[in-house]
CSV table of all heavy atoms in Angstrom, one decimal:
chain,number,residue,atom,x,y,z
A,86,MET,N,11.7,-30.6,19.9
A,86,MET,CA,13.0,-30.9,19.3
A,86,MET,C,12.8,-30.8,17.8
A,86,MET,O,11.9,-31.4,17.3
A,86,MET,CB,13.4,-32.3,19.8
A,86,MET,CG,14.8,-32.6,19.4
A,86,MET,SD,15.4,-34.2,20.0
A,86,MET,CE,15.6,-34.0,21.7
A,87,SER,N,13.7,-30.2,17.2
A,87,SER,CA,13.6,-30.0,15.7
A,87,SER,C,14.0,-31.2,14.9
A,87,SER,O,14.7,-32.1,15.5
A,87,SER,CB,14.4,-28.8,15.2
A,87,SER,OG,15.8,-29.1,15.3
A,88,GLN,N,13.6,-31.3,13.7
A,88,GLN,CA,13.9,-32.4,12.8
A,88,GLN,C,15.4,-32.5,12.6
A,88,GLN,O,16.0,-33.5,12.6
A,88,GLN,CB,13.2,-32.3,11.5
A,88,GLN,CG,11.8,-32.8,11.5
A,88,GLN,CD,11.2,-32.7,10.2
A,88,GLN,OE1,11.5,-31.9,9.3
A,88,GLN,NE2,10.2,-33.6,9.9
A,89,GLN,N,16.1,-31.3,12.5
A,89,GLN,CA,17.5,-31.2,12.3
A,89,GLN,C,18.3,-31.8,13.5
A,89,GLN,O,19.2,-32.5,13.3
A,89,GLN,CB,17.9,-29.8,12.0
A,89,GLN,CG,19.4,-29.6,11.7
A,89,GLN,CD,19.8,-30.4,10.5
A,89,GLN,OE1,19.1,-30.5,9.5
A,89,GLN,NE2,21.0,-31.0,10.6
A,90,THR,N,17.8,-31.5,14.7
A,90,THR,CA,18.4,-32.0,15.9
A,90,THR,C,18.4,-33.5,16.0
A,90,THR,O,19.3,-34.2,16.3
A,90,THR,CB,17.8,-31.4,17.2
A,90,THR,OG1,17.9,-30.0,17.1
A,90,THR,CG2,18.5,-31.9,18.4
A,91,VAL,N,17.2,-34.1,15.7
A,91,VAL,CA,17.0,-35.5,15.7
A,91,VAL,C,17.9,-36.1,14.6
A,91,VAL,O,18.5,-37.2,14.9
A,91,VAL,CB,15.5,-35.9,15.4
A,91,VAL,CG1,15.3,-37.3,15.3
A,91,VAL,CG2,14.6,-35.4,16.6
A,92,SER,N,18.0,-35.5,13.4
A,92,SER,CA,18.8,-36.1,12.4
A,92,SER,C,20.3,-36.1,12.8
A,92,SER,O,21.0,-37.0,12.5
A,92,SER,CB,18.6,-35.3,11.1
A,92,SER,OG,17.3,-35.5,10.6
A,93,THR,N,20.7,-35.0,13.4
A,93,THR,CA,22.1,-34.9,13.8
A,93,THR,C,22.4,-35.9,14.9
A,93,THR,O,23.5,-36.6,14.8
A,93,THR,CB,22.4,-33.5,14.4
A,93,THR,OG1,22.1,-32.5,13.4
A,93,THR,CG2,23.8,-33.3,14.9
A,94,ILE,N,21.6,-36.1,15.8
A,94,ILE,CA,21.8,-37.1,16.9
A,94,ILE,C,21.8,-38.5,16.3
A,94,ILE,O,22.7,-39.4,16.6
A,94,ILE,CB,20.7,-37.0,18.0
A,94,ILE,CG1,20.9,-35.7,18.7
A,94,ILE,CG2,20.8,-38.2,18.9
A,94,ILE,CD1,19.8,-35.4,19.7
A,95,THR,N,20.8,-38.8,15.4
A,95,THR,CA,20.7,-40.1,14.7
A,95,THR,C,22.0,-40.4,13.9
A,95,THR,O,22.5,-41.5,14.0
A,95,THR,CB,19.5,-40.2,13.8
A,95,THR,OG1,18.3,-39.9,14.6
A,95,THR,CG2,19.3,-41.6,13.2
A,96,ASP,N,22.5,-39.4,13.1
A,96,ASP,CA,23.7,-39.6,12.3
A,96,ASP,C,24.9,-39.9,13.2
A,96,ASP,O,25.7,-40.8,12.9
A,96,ASP,CB,23.9,-38.4,11.5
A,96,ASP,CG,22.9,-38.2,10.4
A,96,ASP,OD1,22.2,-39.2,10.1
A,96,ASP,OD2,22.8,-37.1,9.8
A,97,SER,N,25.0,-39.2,14.4
A,97,SER,CA,26.1,-39.4,15.3
A,97,SER,C,26.0,-40.8,15.9
A,97,SER,O,27.1,-41.5,16.0
A,97,SER,CB,26.0,-38.4,16.4
A,97,SER,OG,27.0,-38.6,17.4
A,98,VAL,N,24.9,-41.3,16.2
A,98,VAL,CA,24.7,-42.7,16.8
A,98,VAL,C,25.1,-43.7,15.7
A,98,VAL,O,25.8,-44.7,16.0
A,98,VAL,CB,23.3,-42.9,17.3
A,98,VAL,CG1,23.0,-44.3,17.7
A,98,VAL,CG2,23.0,-42.0,18.5
A,99,ILE,N,24.6,-43.5,14.5
A,99,ILE,CA,24.9,-44.5,13.4
A,99,ILE,C,26.4,-44.5,13.2
A,99,ILE,O,27.0,-45.6,13.0
A,99,ILE,CB,24.1,-44.1,12.2
A,99,ILE,CG1,22.6,-44.4,12.4
A,99,ILE,CG2,24.6,-44.9,11.0
A,99,ILE,CD1,21.7,-43.9,11.3
A,100,ASP,N,27.1,-43.3,13.2
A,100,ASP,CA,28.5,-43.3,12.9
A,100,ASP,C,29.3,-44.0,14.0
A,100,ASP,O,30.2,-44.8,13.8
A,100,ASP,CB,29.0,-41.8,12.9
A,100,ASP,CG,28.6,-41.1,11.6
A,100,ASP,OD1,28.1,-41.8,10.7
A,100,ASP,OD2,28.6,-39.9,11.6
A,101,GLY,N,28.8,-43.8,15.3
A,101,GLY,CA,29.5,-44.5,16.4
A,101,GLY,C,29.3,-46.0,16.4
A,101,GLY,O,30.2,-46.8,16.7
A,102,THR,N,28.1,-46.4,16.0
A,102,THR,CA,27.7,-47.9,15.9
A,102,THR,C,28.6,-48.5,14.8
A,102,THR,O,29.1,-49.6,15.0
A,102,THR,CB,26.2,-48.1,15.6
A,102,THR,OG1,25.5,-47.4,16.7
A,102,THR,CG2,25.9,-49.5,15.6
A,103,THR,N,28.7,-47.8,13.6
A,103,THR,CA,29.5,-48.4,12.5
A,103,THR,C,30.9,-48.5,12.9
A,103,THR,O,31.6,-49.5,12.6
A,103,THR,CB,29.3,-47.5,11.3
A,103,THR,OG1,27.9,-47.3,11.0
A,103,THR,CG2,30.1,-48.0,10.1
A,104,ALA,N,31.5,-47.5,13.6
A,104,ALA,CA,32.9,-47.6,14.0
A,104,ALA,C,33.1,-48.7,15.0
A,104,ALA,O,34.1,-49.4,15.0
A,104,ALA,CB,33.3,-46.2,14.7
A,105,ARG,N,32.1,-48.9,15.9
A,105,ARG,CA,32.3,-50.0,16.9
A,105,ARG,C,32.2,-51.3,16.3
A,105,ARG,O,32.9,-52.3,16.7
A,105,ARG,CB,31.2,-49.8,18.0
A,105,ARG,CG,31.4,-50.8,19.2
A,105,ARG,CD,30.3,-50.7,20.2
A,105,ARG,NE,29.0,-51.0,19.7
A,105,ARG,CZ,27.9,-50.5,20.0
A,105,ARG,NH1,27.9,-49.4,20.8
A,105,ARG,NH2,26.8,-50.9,19.5
A,106,HIS,N,31.3,-51.5,15.3
A,106,HIS,CA,31.2,-52.8,14.6
A,106,HIS,C,32.4,-53.1,13.8
A,106,HIS,O,32.7,-54.3,13.5
A,106,HIS,CB,29.9,-52.8,13.8
A,106,HIS,CG,28.7,-53.0,14.6
A,106,HIS,ND1,27.5,-53.2,14.0
A,106,HIS,CD2,28.5,-52.9,15.9
A,106,HIS,CE1,26.6,-53.3,14.9
A,106,HIS,NE2,27.1,-53.1,16.1
A,107,SER,N,33.1,-52.1,13.3
A,107,SER,CA,34.3,-52.4,12.5
A,107,SER,C,35.6,-52.7,13.4
A,107,SER,O,36.6,-53.1,12.9
A,107,SER,CB,34.6,-51.3,11.6
A,107,SER,OG,34.9,-50.1,12.3
A,108,HIS,N,35.5,-52.4,14.7
A,108,HIS,CA,36.6,-52.7,15.6
A,108,HIS,C,36.6,-54.1,16.0
A,108,HIS,O,35.6,-54.8,16.2
A,108,HIS,CB,36.4,-51.8,16.9
A,108,HIS,CG,37.5,-51.8,17.8
A,108,HIS,ND1,37.6,-52.8,18.8
A,108,HIS,CD2,38.6,-51.1,17.9
A,108,HIS,CE1,38.7,-52.6,19.5
A,108,HIS,NE2,39.3,-51.5,19.0
A,109,PRO,N,37.8,-54.7,16.0
A,109,PRO,CA,37.9,-56.2,16.4
A,109,PRO,C,37.5,-56.4,17.8
A,109,PRO,O,37.7,-55.5,18.7
A,109,PRO,CB,39.4,-56.5,16.2
A,109,PRO,CG,40.1,-55.2,16.2
A,109,PRO,CD,39.1,-54.2,15.7
A,110,VAL,N,36.9,-57.5,18.1
A,110,VAL,CA,36.4,-57.9,19.4
A,110,VAL,C,37.6,-58.2,20.3
A,110,VAL,O,38.5,-59.0,20.0
A,110,VAL,CB,35.4,-59.0,19.3
A,110,VAL,CG1,34.9,-59.4,20.7
A,110,VAL,CG2,34.3,-58.7,18.4
A,111,ASP,N,37.6,-57.7,21.6
A,111,ASP,CA,38.6,-58.0,22.5
A,111,ASP,C,38.4,-59.4,23.1
A,111,ASP,O,37.2,-59.8,23.2
A,111,ASP,CB,38.6,-57.0,23.7
A,111,ASP,CG,39.0,-55.6,23.2
A,111,ASP,OD1,39.7,-55.5,22.2
A,111,ASP,OD2,38.5,-54.6,23.9
A,112,ARG,N,39.4,-60.1,23.5
A,112,ARG,CA,39.3,-61.4,24.1
A,112,ARG,C,38.8,-61.3,25.5
A,112,ARG,O,38.2,-62.3,26.0
A,112,ARG,CB,40.6,-62.1,24.1
A,112,ARG,CG,41.2,-62.3,22.6
A,112,ARG,CD,42.2,-63.3,22.6
A,112,ARG,NE,41.5,-64.5,22.1
A,112,ARG,CZ,41.8,-65.7,22.3
A,112,ARG,NH1,43.0,-66.0,22.9
A,112,ARG,NH2,41.1,-66.8,21.9
A,113,VAL,N,39.0,-60.2,26.2
A,113,VAL,CA,38.6,-60.1,27.6
A,113,VAL,C,37.7,-58.9,27.7
A,113,VAL,O,38.0,-57.8,27.2
A,113,VAL,CB,39.8,-59.9,28.5
A,113,VAL,CG1,39.4,-59.7,30.0
A,113,VAL,CG2,40.8,-61.1,28.4
A,114,HIS,N,36.6,-59.1,28.4
A,114,HIS,CA,35.6,-58.0,28.6
A,114,HIS,C,35.4,-57.8,30.1
A,114,HIS,O,35.3,-58.8,30.8
A,114,HIS,CB,34.3,-58.3,27.9
A,114,HIS,CG,34.4,-58.4,26.4
A,114,HIS,ND1,34.4,-57.3,25.6
A,114,HIS,CD2,34.5,-59.5,25.6
A,114,HIS,CE1,34.5,-57.7,24.4
A,114,HIS,NE2,34.5,-59.0,24.3
A,115,SER,N,35.3,-56.6,30.5
A,115,SER,CA,35.0,-56.4,32.0
A,115,SER,C,33.5,-56.4,32.1
A,115,SER,O,32.7,-56.1,31.2
A,115,SER,CB,35.5,-55.0,32.4
A,115,SER,OG,35.0,-54.0,31.6
A,116,VAL,N,33.1,-56.9,33.3
A,116,VAL,CA,31.7,-57.1,33.6
A,116,VAL,C,31.4,-56.4,34.9
A,116,VAL,O,32.1,-56.5,35.9
A,116,VAL,CB,31.3,-58.5,33.7
A,116,VAL,CG1,29.8,-58.7,34.1
A,116,VAL,CG2,31.5,-59.3,32.4
A,117,VAL,N,30.3,-55.6,35.0
A,117,VAL,CA,29.9,-54.9,36.2
A,117,VAL,C,28.6,-55.5,36.6
A,117,VAL,O,27.6,-55.4,35.8
A,117,VAL,CB,29.8,-53.4,36.0
A,117,VAL,CG1,29.3,-52.7,37.3
A,117,VAL,CG2,31.2,-52.8,35.6
A,118,PHE,N,28.5,-56.0,37.8
A,118,PHE,CA,27.2,-56.6,38.3
A,118,PHE,C,26.7,-55.7,39.4
A,118,PHE,O,27.4,-55.4,40.4
A,118,PHE,CB,27.4,-58.0,38.8
A,118,PHE,CG,26.1,-58.6,39.3
A,118,PHE,CD1,25.2,-59.1,38.5
A,118,PHE,CD2,25.9,-58.7,40.7
A,118,PHE,CE1,24.0,-59.6,39.0
A,118,PHE,CE2,24.8,-59.2,41.2
A,118,PHE,CZ,23.8,-59.7,40.4
A,119,VAL,N,25.5,-55.1,39.2
A,119,VAL,CA,25.0,-54.2,40.2
A,119,VAL,C,23.7,-54.9,40.8
A,119,VAL,O,22.9,-55.3,40.1
A,119,VAL,CB,24.6,-52.9,39.6
A,119,VAL,CG1,24.0,-51.9,40.6
A,119,VAL,CG2,25.8,-52.2,38.9
A,120,ASP,N,23.7,-54.9,42.1
A,120,ASP,CA,22.6,-55.5,42.9
A,120,ASP,C,22.2,-54.5,43.9
A,120,ASP,O,23.0,-53.8,44.5
A,120,ASP,CB,23.0,-56.8,43.5
A,120,ASP,CG,21.9,-57.6,44.0
A,120,ASP,OD1,20.7,-57.3,43.7
A,120,ASP,OD2,22.1,-58.6,44.7
A,121,ALA,N,20.9,-54.5,44.2
A,121,ALA,CA,20.4,-53.6,45.3
A,121,ALA,C,19.4,-54.3,46.1
A,121,ALA,O,18.7,-55.2,45.7
A,121,ALA,CB,19.8,-52.4,44.6
A,122,ILE,N,19.3,-53.9,47.4
A,122,ILE,CA,18.3,-54.4,48.2
A,122,ILE,C,17.7,-53.2,49.0
A,122,ILE,O,18.3,-52.3,49.4
A,122,ILE,CB,18.9,-55.4,49.2
A,122,ILE,CG1,17.8,-56.1,50.0
A,122,ILE,CG2,19.9,-54.8,50.1
A,122,ILE,CD1,18.2,-57.3,50.8
A,123,ASN,N,16.4,-53.3,49.2
A,123,ASN,CA,15.6,-52.2,49.9
A,123,ASN,C,15.1,-52.8,51.2
A,123,ASN,O,14.4,-53.8,51.2
A,123,ASN,CB,14.5,-51.7,49.0
A,123,ASN,CG,13.8,-50.5,49.6
A,123,ASN,OD1,14.2,-50.0,50.6
A,123,ASN,ND2,12.7,-50.1,49.0
A,124,VAL,N,15.6,-52.3,52.3
A,124,VAL,CA,15.2,-52.8,53.6
A,124,VAL,C,14.4,-51.7,54.3
A,124,VAL,O,14.7,-50.6,54.4
A,124,VAL,CB,16.5,-53.1,54.4
A,124,VAL,CG1,16.1,-53.6,55.8
A,124,VAL,CG2,17.3,-54.1,53.7
A,125,LYS,N,13.3,-52.2,54.9
A,125,LYS,CA,12.4,-51.3,55.7
A,125,LYS,C,12.6,-51.7,57.1
A,125,LYS,O,12.3,-52.9,57.5
A,125,LYS,CB,10.9,-51.5,55.2
A,125,LYS,CG,10.0,-50.5,55.9
A,125,LYS,CD,8.6,-50.7,55.4
A,125,LYS,CE,7.6,-49.8,56.1
A,125,LYS,NZ,6.3,-50.0,55.6
A,126,PRO,N,13.0,-50.9,58.0
A,126,PRO,CA,13.2,-51.2,59.4
A,126,PRO,C,11.9,-51.6,60.1
A,126,PRO,O,10.9,-51.1,59.7
A,126,PRO,CB,13.8,-49.9,60.0
A,126,PRO,CG,14.2,-49.1,58.9
A,126,PRO,CD,13.4,-49.5,57.7
A,127,TRP,N,12.0,-52.5,61.0
A,127,TRP,CA,10.8,-52.9,61.8
A,127,TRP,C,10.2,-51.7,62.5
A,127,TRP,O,10.9,-50.8,63.0
A,127,TRP,CB,11.2,-53.9,62.9
A,127,TRP,CG,11.6,-55.2,62.3
A,127,TRP,CD1,12.8,-55.7,62.0
A,127,TRP,CD2,10.6,-56.2,61.9
A,127,TRP,NE1,12.7,-57.0,61.5
A,127,TRP,CE2,11.4,-57.3,61.4
A,127,TRP,CE3,9.3,-56.3,61.9
A,127,TRP,CZ2,10.8,-58.5,60.9
A,127,TRP,CZ3,8.7,-57.5,61.4
A,127,TRP,CH2,9.5,-58.5,60.9
A,128,GLY,N,8.9,-51.6,62.4
A,128,GLY,CA,8.2,-50.5,63.1
A,128,GLY,C,8.2,-49.2,62.3
A,128,GLY,O,7.5,-48.3,62.8
A,129,ALA,N,8.8,-49.2,61.2
A,129,ALA,CA,8.7,-48.0,60.4
A,129,ALA,C,7.4,-47.9,59.7
A,129,ALA,O,6.8,-48.8,59.3
A,129,ALA,CB,9.8,-48.0,59.3
A,130,GLN,N,6.8,-46.6,59.7
A,130,GLN,CA,5.5,-46.4,59.1
A,130,GLN,C,5.7,-45.5,57.9
A,130,GLN,O,6.5,-44.6,57.9
A,130,GLN,CB,4.6,-45.8,60.1
A,130,GLN,CG,4.3,-46.7,61.3
A,130,GLN,CD,3.3,-46.0,62.2
A,130,GLN,OE1,2.9,-44.8,62.0
A,130,GLN,NE2,2.9,-46.7,63.2
A,131,ALA,N,5.0,-45.9,56.8
A,131,ALA,CA,5.1,-45.1,55.6
A,131,ALA,C,4.2,-43.8,55.8
A,131,ALA,O,3.2,-43.8,56.5
A,131,ALA,CB,4.5,-45.8,54.4
A,132,THR,N,4.7,-42.7,55.3
A,132,THR,CA,4.0,-41.4,55.4
A,132,THR,C,3.7,-40.9,54.0
A,132,THR,O,4.5,-41.2,53.1
A,132,THR,CB,4.8,-40.3,56.2
A,132,THR,OG1,6.0,-40.1,55.5
A,132,THR,CG2,5.0,-40.8,57.6
A,133,ASN,N,2.6,-40.3,53.9
A,133,ASN,CA,2.2,-39.8,52.6
A,133,ASN,C,2.0,-38.3,52.7
A,133,ASN,O,1.0,-37.8,53.2
A,133,ASN,CB,0.8,-40.5,52.1
A,133,ASN,CG,0.5,-40.1,50.7
A,133,ASN,OD1,1.3,-39.4,50.0
A,133,ASN,ND2,-0.7,-40.5,50.3
A,134,ARG,N,3.0,-37.6,52.3
A,134,ARG,CA,2.9,-36.1,52.4
A,134,ARG,C,2.5,-35.6,51.1
A,134,ARG,O,2.9,-35.9,50.0
A,134,ARG,CB,4.3,-35.5,52.7
A,134,ARG,CG,4.8,-36.0,54.1
A,134,ARG,CD,6.1,-35.3,54.4
A,134,ARG,NE,6.6,-35.8,55.6
A,134,ARG,CZ,7.8,-35.4,56.2
A,134,ARG,NH1,8.5,-34.5,55.6
A,134,ARG,NH2,8.1,-35.9,57.3
A,135,ARG,N,1.6,-34.6,51.2
A,135,ARG,CA,1.0,-34.0,50.0
A,135,ARG,C,1.4,-32.6,49.9
A,135,ARG,O,1.6,-31.9,50.7
A,135,ARG,CB,-0.5,-34.2,49.9
A,135,ARG,CG,-0.9,-35.6,49.8
A,135,ARG,CD,-2.4,-35.7,49.7
A,135,ARG,NE,-2.7,-37.2,49.7
A,135,ARG,CZ,-3.7,-37.7,49.1
A,135,ARG,NH1,-4.6,-36.8,48.6
A,135,ARG,NH2,-3.9,-38.9,49.1
């Protein structure tokens, strides 16, 4: 990745962050809670394929 590409991406992120910080804070924010569980059935055997 070239220095110019990194500079362009960095400038874009800084511009977006500055714009977001200057925006007033909303009174209500949505929240997403993600949970996961991994279940292994009884009697299942792990296989190692190479």
